[in-house]
Amino acid sequence: MSKVVPGRYTARMEGSFAVFMIGMRVNKLWAIPKWWPVFAAMNPMLRELYAHPELGFLSSTFHLSWRGLTLVQYWKSFEHLEKYAREAPNHLKAWRDFNRKVGASGVVGIYHETYLIPEGQYECLYSNMPVFGLAKAGSHEPATGRRETASGRLERTDGL
């Protein structure tokens, strides 16, 4: 389990970056042989991404619900993300398998959302949390001085 860091922290990212949310929703719970492979396909891709930082992947968080899961991923750029999606054998195999085995059957749904974040156009706060989310992808820094408030972290006011 990750160590809780007491106090208030924020994150800093150098330059622009991409946030990619990808997930699945189980629509027919009893169809385990159809949806389990979709669930299981993510692990080899994550192992590959963490093992090869040159691919542009920075970090991810995993969120489980009773009907599915969502991964929030942080990437150096959209170009890195797109290159991985179009060229990585693990991703291409997972995508082909999904289309061949599940397709439009409705057993399981998949989704993704991509957000392009310009430099400095984000803010976050972590209070009494392990190093998490954007702070794991970038740098974990105390939320002090100008960085104590959301406006200050966005450099919209003096932060006080």
Side-chain angles (χ1 to χ4, degrees):
M1 183 174 250
S2 299
K3 180 183 175 230
V4 171
V5 181
R8 291 168 45 92
Y9 287 82
T10 188
R12 184 179 306 274
M13 297 290 288
E14 296 297 323
S16 59
F17 59 97
V19 177
F20 182 64
M21 294 175 54
I22 184 166
M24 63 173 273
R25 181 184 190 277
V26 176
N27 296 322
K28 296 183 181 176
L29 295 172
W30 60 91
I32 296 168
K34 290 282 189 182
W35 62 257
W36 182 258
V38 177
F39 177 83
M42 188 54 73
N43 199 35
M45 287 184 274
L46 287 172
R47 279 197 309 268
E48 175 181 51
L49 290 167
Y50 276 111
H52 296 282
E54 70 275 9
L55 296 173
F57 174 79
L58 299 171
S59 185
S60 71
T61 60
F62 180 87
H63 307 274
L64 193 59
S65 70
W66 79 277
R67 277 197 103 108
L69 65 97
T70 300
L71 276 86
V72 179
Q73 299 182 342
Y74 302 92
W75 289 78
K76 288 182 182 177
S77 69
F78 173 75
E79 290 72 24
H80 284 96
L81 169 62
E82 185 177 43
K83 181 177 172 67
Y84 181 80
R86 292 182 181 274
E87 297 177 10
N90 282 331
H91 178 263
L92 293 173
K93 179 183 181 324
W95 185 240
R96 284 185 193 116
D97 287 349
F98 176 84
N99 284 317
R100 186 170 37 85
K101 296 176 183 175
V102 178
S105 71
V107 170
V108 62
I110 58 172
Y111 61 92
H112 76 258
E113 300 175 359
T114 306
Y115 303 94
L116 306 181
I117 314 297
E119 184 170 16
Q121 297 301 299
Y122 63 91
E123 77 84 25
C124 52
L125 180 72
Y126 309 96
S127 185
N128 303 319
M129 288 283 295
V131 178
F132 178 84
L134 197 56
K136 188 176 170 189
S139 64
H140 186 244
E141 300 181 359
T144 57
R146 289 183 49 86
R147 303 191 81 197
E148 283 187 75
T149 67
S151 292
R153 290 186 292 276
L154 286 168
E155 297 185 7
R156 301 231 172 175
T157 70
D158 63 8
L160 300 175

